[in-house]
Amino acid sequence: MFFPDRKIVERIKKEYPSGTRVELVELNDPYRHLPAGLQGTVSCVDDTGTIHVDWDNGSRLGVVYGEDRCRKI
């Protein structure tokens, strides 16, 4: 399992604090099919750099560093 460098995790935490609104760009999860363009609110960033999001469709799913992509809105 790949974990990003501590400096990268700290940068992600500063860039995506709790309450930040994001839009999903890409999700590489074969079991969940969230559409690109879905918006949500960041609840936290964990120590692996995963951005945990409360999506507007009711889903709660993290955006995994190096696998998935989201952007601030």
Side-chain angles (χ1 to χ4, degrees):
M1 176 158 270
F2 168 76
F3 292 106
D5 182 81
R6 188 82 193 136
K7 289 181 181 180
I8 293 171
V9 172
E10 290 305 317
R11 179 183 54 79
I12 295 168
K13 286 183 176 187
K14 286 181 182 177
E15 189 174 347
Y16 294 94
S18 296
T20 301
R21 293 287 293 166
V22 295
E23 179 179 71
L24 185 63
V25 174
E26 181 179 18
L27 181 70
N28 293 312
D29 187 331
Y31 304 105
R32 298 277 185 114
H33 300 287
L34 300 181
L38 182 63
Q39 297 181 356
T41 304
V42 173
S43 60
C44 69
V45 176
D46 68 20
D47 290 337
T48 67
T50 297
I51 303 168
H52 293 272
V53 180
D54 294 328
W55 298 104
D56 291 350
N57 70 353
S59 179
R60 290 184 175 177
L61 192 64
V63 177
V64 177
Y65 177 80
E67 289 292 318
D68 309 316
R69 293 185 303 141
C70 68
R71 67 176 187 88
K72 289 166 85 172
I73 53 174

Coordinates of all heavy atoms in Angstrom, one line a residue:
M1 N 0.8 -1.2 0.0 CA 0.0 0.0 0.0 C 0.9 1.2 0.0 O 1.9 1.3 0.7 CB -0.9 0.0 1.2 CG -1.8 1.2 1.3 SD -3.2 1.0 2.3 CE -4.4 0.5 1.1
F2 N 0.5 2.2 -0.8 CA 1.3 3.5 -1.0 C 0.7 4.5 -0.1 O -0.5 4.8 0.0 CB 1.2 3.9 -2.4 CG 1.7 5.3 -2.6 CD1 3.0 5.6 -2.7 CD2 0.8 6.4 -2.8 CE1 3.5 6.8 -2.9 CE2 1.2 7.6 -3.0 CZ 2.6 7.9 -3.0
F3 N 1.6 5.2 0.7 CA 1.2 6.3 1.5 C 2.1 7.5 1.1 O 3.3 7.4 1.0 CB 1.5 6.0 3.0 CG 0.5 5.0 3.6 CD1 1.0 3.7 3.8 CD2 -0.8 5.3 3.8 CE1 0.1 2.7 4.3 CE2 -1.7 4.3 4.3 CZ -1.2 3.1 4.5
P4 N 1.5 8.7 0.9 CA 2.3 9.8 0.5 C 3.2 10.3 1.6 O 2.9 10.1 2.8 CB 1.2 10.9 0.1 CG 0.0 10.4 0.8 CD 0.1 8.9 1.0
D5 N 4.2 11.1 1.2 CA 5.1 11.7 2.1 C 4.3 12.6 3.0 O 3.3 13.2 2.7 CB 6.1 12.5 1.3 CG 7.2 13.1 2.1 OD1 8.1 12.5 2.5 OD2 7.0 14.4 2.4
R6 N 4.8 12.8 4.2 CA 4.2 13.6 5.3 C 4.0 15.1 4.8 O 3.0 15.7 5.1 CB 5.1 13.6 6.5 CG 4.4 14.3 7.7 CD 3.5 13.3 8.3 NE 2.6 14.0 9.3 CZ 1.3 13.8 9.3 NH1 0.7 12.9 8.6 NH2 0.6 14.5 10.2
K7 N 4.9 15.6 4.0 CA 4.8 17.0 3.5 C 3.6 17.1 2.5 O 2.9 18.1 2.5 CB 6.1 17.4 2.8 CG 7.2 17.6 3.8 CD 8.5 18.1 3.0 CE 9.6 18.3 4.0 NZ 10.9 18.7 3.3
I8 N 3.4 16.1 1.7 CA 2.3 16.1 0.8 C 1.0 16.0 1.6 O 0.0 16.8 1.3 CB 2.4 14.9 -0.2 CG1 3.6 15.0 -1.1 CG2 1.1 14.7 -0.9 CD1 3.9 13.8 -2.0
V9 N 0.9 15.2 2.6 CA -0.3 15.1 3.4 C -0.6 16.5 4.1 O -1.7 16.9 4.1 CB -0.2 14.0 4.5 CG1 -1.3 14.1 5.5 CG2 -0.1 12.6 3.8
E10 N 0.4 17.1 4.6 CA 0.2 18.4 5.3 C -0.3 19.5 4.2 O -1.1 20.3 4.6 CB 1.5 18.9 5.9 CG 1.9 18.1 7.2 CD 0.8 18.1 8.2 OE1 0.1 19.1 8.5 OE2 0.5 17.0 8.7
R11 N 0.3 19.4 3.0 CA -0.2 20.3 2.0 C -1.7 20.1 1.6 O -2.4 21.1 1.5 CB 0.6 20.2 0.7 CG 0.2 21.1 -0.4 CD 1.0 20.9 -1.7 NE 1.0 19.5 -2.2 CZ 0.0 18.9 -2.8 NH1 -1.1 19.6 -3.1 NH2 0.1 17.7 -3.3
I12 N -2.1 18.8 1.5 CA -3.5 18.5 1.2 C -4.4 19.0 2.4 O -5.4 19.6 2.1 CB -3.6 17.0 1.0 CG1 -2.9 16.5 -0.2 CG2 -5.1 16.6 0.9 CD1 -2.7 15.0 -0.3
K13 N -3.9 18.8 3.6 CA -4.7 19.2 4.8 C -4.9 20.8 4.8 O -6.0 21.3 5.1 CB -4.1 18.8 6.1 CG -4.2 17.3 6.4 CD -3.6 17.0 7.7 CE -3.9 15.5 8.0 NZ -3.5 15.1 9.4
K14 N -3.9 21.5 4.4 CA -4.0 23.0 4.3 C -4.9 23.4 3.1 O -5.6 24.4 3.2 CB -2.6 23.6 4.2 CG -1.9 23.6 5.5 CD -0.5 24.2 5.3 CE 0.3 24.1 6.6 NZ 1.6 24.7 6.5
E15 N -4.8 22.7 2.0 CA -5.6 23.1 0.8 C -7.0 22.7 0.9 O -7.9 23.4 0.3 CB -4.9 22.4 -0.4 CG -5.5 22.9 -1.7 CD -4.8 22.3 -2.9 OE1 -3.7 21.7 -2.8 OE2 -5.3 22.4 -4.0
Y16 N -7.4 21.6 1.7 CA -8.7 21.1 1.8 C -9.2 21.0 3.3 O -9.5 20.0 3.7 CB -8.9 19.8 1.1 CG -8.7 19.8 -0.4 CD1 -7.4 19.6 -0.9 CD2 -9.7 20.1 -1.2 CE1 -7.2 19.6 -2.3 CE2 -9.5 20.1 -2.6 CZ -8.3 19.9 -3.1 OH -8.1 20.0 -4.5
P17 N -9.3 22.2 4.0 CA -9.8 22.1 5.3 C -11.2 21.7 5.4 O -12.0 21.8 4.4 CB -9.5 23.5 5.9 CG -9.6 24.4 4.6 CD -9.0 23.6 3.5
S18 N -11.7 21.3 6.6 CA -13.1 20.9 6.7 C -14.0 22.1 6.3 O -13.7 23.3 6.6 CB -13.4 20.6 8.2 OG -12.6 19.5 8.6
G19 N -15.0 21.8 5.6 CA -16.0 22.8 5.1 C -15.7 23.2 3.7 O -16.5 23.9 3.1
T20 N -14.6 22.8 3.1 CA -14.3 23.2 1.7 C -15.2 22.5 0.8 O -15.5 21.3 0.9 CB -12.8 22.8 1.4 OG1 -11.9 23.5 2.2 CG2 -12.5 23.2 -0.1
R21 N -15.8 23.2 -0.2 CA -16.6 22.6 -1.2 C -15.7 22.1 -2.3 O -14.8 22.7 -2.8 CB -17.6 23.6 -1.7 CG -18.6 24.1 -0.7 CD -19.7 23.0 -0.4 NE -20.5 22.8 -1.6 CZ -21.3 21.8 -1.7 NH1 -21.5 20.8 -0.8 NH2 -22.1 21.6 -2.8
V22 N -16.0 20.8 -2.8 CA -15.3 20.2 -3.8 C -16.2 19.6 -4.9 O -17.4 19.4 -4.6 CB -14.3 19.1 -3.3 CG1 -13.3 19.7 -2.4 CG2 -15.1 18.0 -2.6
E23 N -15.6 19.3 -6.1 CA -16.3 18.7 -7.1 C -15.5 17.5 -7.5 O -14.3 17.6 -7.7 CB -16.5 19.6 -8.3 CG -17.2 19.0 -9.5 CD -17.3 20.0 -10.7 OE1 -16.3 20.4 -11.3 OE2 -18.4 20.5 -10.9
L24 N -16.2 16.3 -7.7 CA -15.5 15.1 -8.1 C -15.1 15.2 -9.6 O -15.9 15.5 -10.4 CB -16.4 13.9 -7.9 CG -15.8 12.5 -8.1 CD1 -14.7 12.3 -7.2 CD2 -16.9 11.5 -8.0
V25 N -13.8 14.9 -9.8 CA -13.3 14.8 -11.2 C -13.2 13.4 -11.7 O -13.7 13.1 -12.7 CB -11.9 15.5 -11.3 CG1 -11.3 15.3 -12.7 CG2 -12.0 17.0 -10.9
E26 N -12.7 12.5 -10.8 CA -12.6 11.1 -11.2 C -12.5 10.2 -9.9 O -11.8 10.6 -9.0 CB -11.3 10.9 -12.0 CG -11.1 9.5 -12.4 CD -9.8 9.3 -13.3 OE1 -8.9 10.2 -13.2 OE2 -9.7 8.3 -13.9
L27 N -13.2 9.1 -9.9 CA -13.2 8.2 -8.8 C -13.0 6.8 -9.4 O -13.7 6.3 -10.2 CB -14.6 8.2 -8.1 CG -14.7 7.3 -6.9 CD1 -13.8 7.8 -5.7 CD2 -16.1 7.1 -6.4
N28 N -11.9 6.2 -8.9 CA -11.5 4.9 -9.4 C -11.8 3.8 -8.3 O -11.0 3.3 -7.6 CB -9.9 4.8 -9.6 CG -9.5 5.7 -10.8 OD1 -10.1 5.6 -11.8 ND2 -8.5 6.5 -10.6
D29 N -13.1 3.6 -8.2 CA -13.6 2.6 -7.3 C -14.6 1.7 -8.0 O -15.7 2.1 -8.4 CB -14.3 3.3 -6.1 CG -14.8 2.4 -5.0 OD1 -15.0 1.2 -5.3 OD2 -14.8 2.8 -3.8
P30 N -14.3 0.4 -8.1 CA -15.2 -0.5 -8.9 C -16.5 -0.8 -8.2 O -17.4 -1.3 -8.8 CB -14.4 -1.8 -9.0 CG -13.4 -1.7 -7.9 CD -13.1 -0.3 -7.6
Y31 N -16.6 -0.4 -6.9 CA -17.8 -0.8 -6.2 C -18.8 0.4 -6.0 O -19.9 0.3 -5.6 CB -17.5 -1.4 -4.8 CG -16.6 -2.6 -4.9 CD1 -15.2 -2.5 -4.7 CD2 -17.1 -3.8 -5.4 CE1 -14.4 -3.6 -4.9 CE2 -16.3 -4.9 -5.6 CZ -15.0 -4.8 -5.3 OH -14.2 -5.9 -5.5
R32 N -18.2 1.6 -6.2 CA -19.0 2.8 -6.1 C -19.0 3.6 -7.4 O -17.9 3.7 -8.0 CB -18.5 3.8 -5.0 CG -18.5 3.2 -3.6 CD -19.8 3.4 -3.0 NE -19.8 2.9 -1.6 CZ -20.0 3.7 -0.5 NH1 -20.2 5.0 -0.7 NH2 -19.9 3.2 0.7
H33 N -20.1 4.1 -7.8 CA -20.2 4.8 -9.1 C -20.7 6.2 -8.9 O -21.9 6.5 -9.1 CB -21.0 4.0 -10.1 CG -20.5 2.6 -10.3 ND1 -19.4 2.4 -11.1 CD2 -20.9 1.4 -9.9 CE1 -19.1 1.1 -11.1 NE2 -20.0 0.5 -10.4
L34 N -19.8 7.0 -8.4 CA -20.2 8.4 -8.2 C -19.9 9.2 -9.5 O -18.7 9.0 -10.0 CB -19.5 9.1 -7.0 CG -19.8 8.4 -5.6 CD1 -19.0 9.1 -4.6 CD2 -21.2 8.4 -5.3
P35 N -20.8 10.0 -10.0 CA -20.5 10.7 -11.3 C -19.5 11.8 -11.1 O -19.6 12.6 -10.1 CB -21.9 11.1 -11.7 CG -22.6 11.4 -10.4 CD -22.1 10.3 -9.5
A36 N -18.7 12.0 -12.2 CA -17.9 13.2 -12.2 C -18.8 14.4 -12.2 O -19.9 14.4 -12.7 CB -17.1 13.2 -13.5
G37 N -18.4 15.5 -11.5 CA -19.2 16.7 -11.4 C -20.0 16.7 -10.1 O -20.6 17.8 -9.7
L38 N -20.1 15.6 -9.4 CA -20.8 15.5 -8.1 C -20.1 16.5 -7.1 O -18.9 16.5 -7.1 CB -20.9 14.1 -7.6 CG -21.6 13.9 -6.2 CD1 -23.1 14.2 -6.4 CD2 -21.4 12.5 -5.8
Q39 N -20.9 17.2 -6.3 CA -20.3 18.2 -5.4 C -20.5 17.7 -4.0 O -21.4 16.9 -3.7 CB -20.9 19.5 -5.6 CG -20.6 20.1 -7.0 CD -21.1 21.5 -7.2 OE1 -21.8 22.0 -6.3 NE2 -20.8 22.1 -8.3
G40 N -19.6 18.2 -3.1 CA -19.7 17.8 -1.7 C -18.9 18.7 -0.8 O -18.3 19.6 -1.3
T41 N -18.9 18.4 0.5 CA -18.2 19.2 1.5 C -17.2 18.3 2.2 O -17.5 17.2 2.7 CB -19.2 19.8 2.5 OG1 -20.2 20.5 1.8 CG2 -18.5 20.7 3.5
V42 N -16.0 18.8 2.3 CA -14.9 18.1 3.0 C -15.2 18.0 4.5 O -15.5 19.0 5.1 CB -13.5 18.8 2.8 CG1 -12.4 18.1 3.6 CG2 -13.2 18.8 1.3
S43 N -15.1 16.8 5.0 CA -15.3 16.6 6.5 C -13.9 16.6 7.2 O -13.8 17.2 8.2 CB -16.1 15.4 6.8 OG -15.5 14.2 6.3
C44 N -12.9 16.0 6.5 CA -11.6 16.0 7.1 C -10.6 15.4 6.0 O -11.0 14.8 5.0 CB -11.5 15.2 8.4 SG -11.7 13.4 8.1
V45 N -9.3 15.5 6.3 CA -8.3 14.9 5.6 C -7.5 14.0 6.6 O -7.1 14.5 7.6 CB -7.3 15.9 4.9 CG1 -6.2 15.1 4.2 CG2 -8.1 16.7 3.9
D46 N -7.4 12.7 6.3 CA -6.7 11.8 7.2 C -5.2 11.8 7.0 O -4.7 12.5 6.1 CB -7.3 10.4 7.3 CG -7.1 9.6 6.0 OD1 -6.2 10.0 5.2 OD2 -7.9 8.7 5.8
D47 N -4.5 11.0 7.8 CA -3.0 11.0 7.7 C -2.5 10.2 6.5 O -1.3 10.1 6.4 CB -2.5 10.3 9.0 CG -2.7 11.3 10.2 OD1 -2.8 12.5 10.0 OD2 -2.7 10.8 11.4
T48 N -3.3 9.7 5.7 CA -2.9 9.1 4.4 C -3.1 10.0 3.2 O -2.9 9.7 2.1 CB -3.6 7.7 4.1 OG1 -5.0 7.9 3.9 CG2 -3.4 6.8 5.3
G49 N -3.7 11.2 3.5 CA -4.0 12.2 2.5 C -5.3 12.0 1.8 O -5.6 12.7 0.9
T50 N -6.1 11.1 2.4 CA -7.5 10.9 1.8 C -8.4 12.0 2.3 O -8.4 12.4 3.4 CB -8.1 9.5 2.3 OG1 -7.3 8.5 1.8 CG2 -9.5 9.4 1.8
I51 N -9.1 12.6 1.3 CA -10.0 13.7 1.5 C -11.4 13.1 1.7 O -11.9 12.6 0.8 CB -10.0 14.7 0.4 CG1 -8.6 15.3 0.1 CG2 -11.0 15.8 0.7 CD1 -8.5 16.0 -1.2
H52 N -11.9 13.1 3.0 CA -13.2 12.6 3.3 C -14.2 13.6 3.0 O -14.2 14.7 3.4 CB -13.2 12.1 4.7 CG -12.3 10.9 5.0 ND1 -12.7 9.6 4.8 CD2 -11.0 10.9 5.3 CE1 -11.7 8.8 5.0 NE2 -10.7 9.6 5.4
V53 N -15.2 13.2 2.2 CA -16.2 14.1 1.7 C -17.6 13.6 2.0 O -17.9 12.5 1.8 CB -16.1 14.3 0.1 CG1 -17.1 15.3 -0.4 CG2 -14.7 14.8 -0.2
D54 N -18.5 14.6 2.4 CA -19.9 14.3 2.5 C -20.5 14.8 1.2 O -20.7 16.0 1.0 CB -20.5 15.1 3.7 CG -20.0 14.6 5.0 OD1 -19.7 13.4 5.1 OD2 -19.9 15.4 6.0
W55 N -20.8 13.9 0.3 CA -21.3 14.2 -1.0 C -22.8 14.7 -1.0 O -23.5 14.2 -0.1 CB -21.1 13.0 -2.0 CG -19.7 12.7 -2.2 CD1 -19.0 11.6 -1.6 CD2 -18.7 13.4 -2.9 NE1 -17.7 11.6 -2.0 CE2 -17.5 12.7 -2.8 CE3 -18.7 14.6 -3.7 CZ2 -16.3 13.2 -3.4 CZ3 -17.6 15.0 -4.3 CH2 -16.4 14.3 -4.1
D56 N -23.1 15.6 -1.9 CA -24.5 16.1 -1.9 C -25.6 15.1 -2.1 O -26.7 15.3 -1.8 CB -24.6 17.2 -2.9 CG -23.8 18.5 -2.5 OD1 -23.3 18.5 -1.3 OD2 -23.7 19.4 -3.3
N57 N -25.2 13.9 -2.7 CA -26.2 12.8 -2.9 C -26.4 11.9 -1.7 O -27.1 10.9 -1.8 CB -25.8 12.0 -4.1 CG -24.6 11.1 -3.9 OD1 -23.9 11.2 -2.9 ND2 -24.3 10.3 -4.9
G58 N -25.7 12.3 -0.6 CA -25.9 11.5 0.7 C -24.8 10.5 0.9 O -24.7 10.0 2.0
S59 N -23.9 10.3 -0.1 CA -22.8 9.4 0.1 C -21.7 10.0 0.9 O -21.5 11.2 0.9 CB -22.3 9.0 -1.3 OG -21.2 8.1 -1.2
R60 N -21.0 9.2 1.6 CA -19.8 9.6 2.3 C -18.6 8.8 1.9 O -18.6 7.6 2.2 CB -19.9 9.5 3.8 CG -20.9 10.5 4.4 CD -20.9 10.4 5.9 NE -21.8 11.4 6.4 CZ -22.1 11.6 7.7 NH1 -21.6 10.7 8.5 NH2 -22.9 12.5 8.1
L61 N -17.7 9.3 1.1 CA -16.7 8.5 0.5 C -15.4 9.4 0.3 O -15.5 10.6 0.0 CB -17.1 8.0 -0.9 CG -16.2 6.9 -1.5 CD1 -16.2 5.7 -0.6 CD2 -16.7 6.6 -2.9
G62 N -14.3 8.8 0.6 CA -13.0 9.6 0.6 C -12.4 9.6 -0.8 O -12.6 8.6 -1.6
V63 N -11.8 10.7 -1.1 CA -11.0 10.8 -2.4 C -9.6 10.5 -2.0 O -8.9 11.2 -1.3 CB -11.1 12.3 -2.9 CG1 -10.3 12.5 -4.2 CG2 -12.6 12.7 -3.2
V64 N -9.1 9.3 -2.6 CA -7.8 8.7 -2.2 C -6.7 9.4 -3.0 O -6.7 9.4 -4.3 CB -7.8 7.2 -2.4 CG1 -6.5 6.6 -2.1 CG2 -8.9 6.6 -1.6
Y65 N -5.7 9.9 -2.3 CA -4.5 10.5 -3.0 C -3.9 9.5 -3.9 O -3.6 8.4 -3.6 CB -3.5 10.9 -1.9 CG -2.2 11.5 -2.5 CD1 -2.2 12.8 -2.9 CD2 -1.1 10.8 -2.7 CE1 -1.1 13.4 -3.5 CE2 0.0 11.3 -3.3 CZ 0.0 12.6 -3.7 OH 1.1 13.2 -4.3
G66 N -3.6 10.0 -5.2 CA -3.0 9.2 -6.2 C -3.9 8.3 -6.9 O -3.5 7.6 -7.9
E67 N -5.1 8.1 -6.5 CA -6.1 7.3 -7.2 C -7.3 8.0 -7.8 O -7.7 7.7 -8.9 CB -6.6 6.2 -6.2 CG -5.6 5.1 -5.9 CD -5.3 4.2 -7.0 OE1 -6.2 3.8 -7.8 OE2 -4.1 4.0 -7.2
D68 N -7.8 8.9 -7.0 CA -9.0 9.7 -7.3 C -8.6 11.2 -7.5 O -7.6 11.6 -7.0 CB -10.1 9.5 -6.3 CG -10.3 8.1 -5.9 OD1 -10.4 7.2 -6.8 OD2 -10.5 7.8 -4.7
R69 N -9.6 12.0 -8.0 CA -9.3 13.4 -8.1 C -10.6 14.2 -7.8 O -11.7 13.8 -8.3 CB -8.8 13.7 -9.6 CG -7.5 13.2 -9.9 CD -6.9 13.6 -11.2 NE -7.8 13.2 -12.3 CZ -8.1 14.0 -13.3 NH1 -7.5 15.2 -13.5 NH2 -8.9 13.6 -14.3
C70 N -10.3 15.3 -7.2 CA -11.4 16.3 -7.0 C -10.8 17.7 -7.1 O -9.6 17.8 -7.1 CB -12.1 16.1 -5.6 SG -11.1 16.5 -4.2
R71 N -11.6 18.7 -7.1 CA -11.1 20.1 -7.2 C -12.0 21.0 -6.3 O -13.2 20.7 -6.1 CB -11.1 20.6 -8.6 CG -12.4 20.8 -9.3 CD -12.3 21.4 -10.7 NE -13.7 21.7 -11.2 CZ -14.3 22.8 -11.0 NH1 -13.7 23.8 -10.3 NH2 -15.5 23.1 -11.5
K72 N -11.4 22.0 -5.8 CA -12.1 23.0 -5.1 C -13.1 23.8 -6.0 O -12.8 24.0 -7.1 CB -11.1 24.0 -4.4 CG -10.3 23.4 -3.3 CD -9.2 24.2 -2.9 CE -9.5 25.3 -1.9 NZ -8.3 26.0 -1.4
I73 N -14.2 24.1 -5.4 CA -15.2 25.0 -6.2 C -15.5 26.2 -5.4 O -15.1 26.4 -4.2 CB -16.5 24.2 -6.5 CG1 -17.1 23.6 -5.3 CG2 -16.2 23.1 -7.5 CD1 -18.5 23.0 -5.5

